[in-house]
Amino acid sequence: MLTGRESLLRLIGKRRRSLPNRHNLLSTPTPNSLNLDVNDSGNLISPTRSPTRDNIRSPETPTSPGNSDDLCLSRKNKKKRRLTQTTLLQWSGSKQSEDSPFIHPQKQQQQSILEFDDDSSSEEISKTVALDEANGDEAIQTFIVGRKFSDIQDLEVGAKICLLRHPENIKDPNAIKVLSSDSGLSEMLGYLPKDVSQCLSPLIDQYGLKFEGTITCVPKNSSEAVPVKVVCHKMTSDGWKESESAGGDFKLLWEKVLQVVEHQMQFPPKTTRYQLNFNVLVQEVLRSCSHLFTADEKTFLESFPSLSEDSQRLFIRLYTRKGPWFRLSNISYPEVSDSLQALKNLTVSGFMSSVEDANDLSYQKMKEITELLNVTELRDILSVNKVFSRGSRKRDLIDSLCSYYNDRTRMDIGTMILERTGLCAKISSTAESLIWRVERLFFLNGEQDLSSFVLLDLGIIKYPTYKCIDSDQIFSDRAKLLAYEEAIEVAQLMDESLDSEDSGTVLKCIMIAETRISSSSSSESALFNCFTAPWVYSKMVLLGVSFLENQKRHVENKPSPLLLTCSDDSVDTLVSGFRYNQAVYLLRRLLSCFNCDGRRGYWTVRLSTDLEHMGRPNESLSVAEQGLLDPWVRAGSRIALQRRILRLAKPPRRWKTPTFPNLIDNKIPEVTIQGRSLNCEVGMKNRFYGEDGEQCGVEQLALQYYNGEGGGWQGMHTESIIWLTIFGLLMWDILFSDVPGVFQTRFQTAPLDLDTESFYLTRKETIESQLERVANGMAEEILIISYETHRGTACRGVAWERFSLEELRAAVACVGGKCVASLCRYLAQDYRSWCSGMPDLLLWRFKENGYEGEAKLVEVKSEKDRLSEQQRAWLLLLMDSGFNVEICKVRPACV
């Protein structure tokens, strides 16, 4: 995989159906600082003049590279999900337990409202609750649910009701029954909604409040929720004083009731779970980020709740599908009673667009709608028009049909397609763009979407508890948001082009990104740097560096006479200059534009390496030496530069050989073992026969050695994950402490500043206090309490399924408090640099008393493998911190 591709994929997340700025991005001229020329086939064109050393050396006048043979990394084509298959939305509706121990999104939003430090007061909330001025009684609007348990099916408007606690309810001990007053309280009508009863039951139990009411409306369907008005007769001014004197929590409980009721009136019980989640998402974004939307955009989004229930449900269902087009004949959802009418309403309101007439069918629409046809339908259309197909696969049939589509055949082909598909619809570009923005602002990443609500509802994911304390806005104005969105568009365009092996568009994206990283501003908060357009473009430029480094160039057009007279080795050398020249230029641009960035270490190593590949060792050495003076060059990158200097700084380049005590004085212990190898092929993972005769990898073979003749150690193959788990558990309260700005959504598993220096600096006092407790022998106690309290809760780095509490306790006890504290301090100070590259094996053994133990960390390498610089940096760091470390080399036994 090209370096930086995986990171870009995570940034993009779920691909957008359409890119609104695609045409402008590709058609607008871009300053070509790299002098990258592309032919009609999209391949790179190298100049016809001979590539002399001068035009290789100068980054300002780089030569044009050749074409690419391989872009690698094509995603596997995934089959399109059929509309009839069970989805998470259906699963959540049918499988969700009523007594789920996990927080419901509705309650989640209520907690979010309570925990945000805004100026909302109980008086503002109370404005939505009706007050009977005549007698001072407080009235709340709610519903009767659970009608299937009712003794009476026929209801009348105005019928009197009263509430009665039902603590014996097996599913909900907070349950409140609704009884008919007209029947002498002998007949039950149903229950209050669970959220309302959860808030009202403490008031009834602790303060003896009495509630009565009336039915305000009777729905047509007897199973639907029944609107009611409930009055508490103890809500007079004297009653308030009496209740407050009885307990200080009374007013807080009543305010919570009012909040729940207000929210419930916006989203009645008949609202489906995913429908509720969607409306919560939109309203929360409009509440907190209204300055990022125009008046028309806000009006458009605010109109969604006013649509019919069927229209809302159909839109959300289709939005979560791949699309972009859908056949109405294939759309069938049990909760949508009239799909056709819902679609018409959505089309009129601008949330969807539809096609049912061939006159409205452009070439692009036809090409997209053709994907909805099955193989039989495609063959039928091709046969009628006597079009020969170049293959029998669906893709071949579609390509053949599209090639036949022109101005002369447009109406006939379009009519045939729509006769078979029927009415087709898609999410409108306006709705798609705005909802994508809403999701991005709500989750602050591209990997989470509405399914996150569903996973929470089902109890599959449980998020940690923390307070979202408002601070500076991530996007202070609309212009910055639009720039960020366009950067994400360019990133997706580049990713799609890599998949389709369109090198011309890839190079266009590289040039766009290169010209726009210059707008990077050091005034941006480090906490929110990753939400700026220059940061996104920097990731694309780095991917561009990897792309250029991996190009296999060919000299196109007529080769120069000089190349014709050169030997093959000379041509390879010259083409190598083309290969790295633009990469060097891009790396210099990154280093000049981002002065305070943890990625500077990797950029510097790549720059020094590429310069050496270009035959410029003096520059390579100078870059490495300057890199060591950079405070942002850390961990493995620092070790890599030191090793490069030791290799390059020899007379006559440098008469004084540099000394790096951490590399020269600290010799990492090594041990070599033998194993029966199954394969010795280059590029394949080595496999061996273990002591039990079973096949195993080098890590398992090393574990067997250490368990036996290697010293009777217990152990496991853990790499970095066990230490990140221990760090997360020991520092849990600090990770999720109250710090302004670091928690923006209710779906985070770590603070936003964990990868920055500010994480440690902001919490330095509490971190050092906790590490002191760990060093003084309390690590195991803290670990046990944290594990049992938060077990199963999502936290970045914590792998609940990988390790038992006993294994974690053994690791902490045998490593020792001081070593654990030292390791946690490095992670707290620079999590980004140190979260990977730790040794493969963790070994431990207890002494005879069963309480004291010792541990060893081992990096396992096969005969042809070698340490990465990050692994070397970790081993040296662990040695300095007092850990017992070792390198275990496995070589095949002689046959």
Side-chain angles (χ1 to χ4, degrees), residues 460-683:
I460 297 175
I461 294 181
K462 181 181 178 182
Y463 290 95
T465 302
Y466 48 78
K467 289 184 179 180
C468 296
I469 303 175
D470 284 338
S471 63
D472 296 335
Q473 290 280 352
I474 292 180
F475 299 101
S476 57
D477 55 57
R478 178 178 169 84
K480 291 183 178 179
L481 173 65
L482 295 180
Y484 176 74
E485 288 183 356
E486 185 168 282
I488 298 293
E489 281 192 56
V490 181
Q492 179 174 327
L493 187 59
M494 184 176 185
D495 182 46
E496 291 174 351
S497 303
L498 286 170
D499 278 351
S500 60
E501 300 187 3
D502 181 2
S503 59
T505 305
V506 172
L507 294 172
K508 177 73 173 179
C509 294
I510 295 173
M511 289 188 286
I512 292 173
E514 184 271 328
T515 57
R516 296 185 181 182
I517 59 172
S518 59
S519 61
S520 174
S521 173
S522 58
S523 63
E524 295 286 348
S525 168
L527 179 61
F528 300 146
N529 265 346
C530 59
F531 301 107
T532 61
W535 188 84
V536 178
Y537 289 125
S538 71
K539 297 179 94 54
M540 297 173 58
V541 170
L542 179 60
L543 179 57
V545 169
S546 181
F547 174 79
L548 292 169
E549 289 174 344
N550 284 273
Q551 286 283 296
K552 296 178 180 179
R553 308 290 170 84
H554 293 287
V555 179
E556 293 208 347
N557 299 329
K558 183 179 179 180
S560 67
L562 176 62
L563 290 180
L564 292 175
T565 59
C566 290
S567 65
D568 291 341
D569 291 341
S570 299
V571 172
D572 289 342
T573 301
L574 293 172
V575 172
S576 177
F578 296 133
R579 178 178 181 177
Y580 292 106
N581 197 37
Q582 286 79 21
V584 165
Y585 175 76
L586 292 177
L587 288 167
R588 290 191 189 278
R589 291 279 289 125
L590 288 172
L591 288 168
S592 65
C593 291
F594 298 88
N595 297 321
C596 302
D597 197 300
R599 300 169 293 175
R600 288 180 61 84
Y602 179 78
W603 299 341
T604 304
V605 173
R606 289 302 327 148
L607 177 58
S608 177
T609 303
D610 286 352
L611 286 170
E612 185 179 7
H613 287 321
M614 295 174 66
R616 297 153 68 173
N618 289 330
E619 283 189 64
S620 175
L621 177 57
S622 297
V623 167
E625 290 172 334
Q626 290 297 317
L628 291 184
L629 303 178
D630 189 339
W632 291 93
V633 176
R634 302 163 180 169
S637 299
R638 193 165 202 81
I639 298 296
L641 293 178
Q642 289 177 342
R643 286 165 57 81
R644 291 189 64 78
I645 291 173
L646 288 175
R647 182 167 56 82
L648 294 173
K650 296 177 180 178
R653 294 194 191 101
R654 298 291 185 273
W655 292 102
K656 183 178 180 181
T657 303
T659 59
F660 301 113
N662 60 323
L663 288 178
I664 299 174
D665 298 341
N666 293 336
K667 297 297 183 182
I668 305 172
E670 294 184 5
V671 63
T672 302
I673 64 175
Q674 292 184 337
R676 290 190 300 152
S677 177
L678 277 84
N679 63 311
C680 297
E681 298 181 24
V682 177

Side-chain angles (χ1 to χ4, degrees), residues 226-244:
V226 180
V228 295
K229 177 181 179 181
V230 179
V231 178
C232 177
H233 296 296
K234 205 172 183 180
M235 288 296 98
T236 62
S237 59
D238 293 338
W240 275 105
K241 294 177 181 178
E242 180 182 345
S243 299
E244 288 180 336

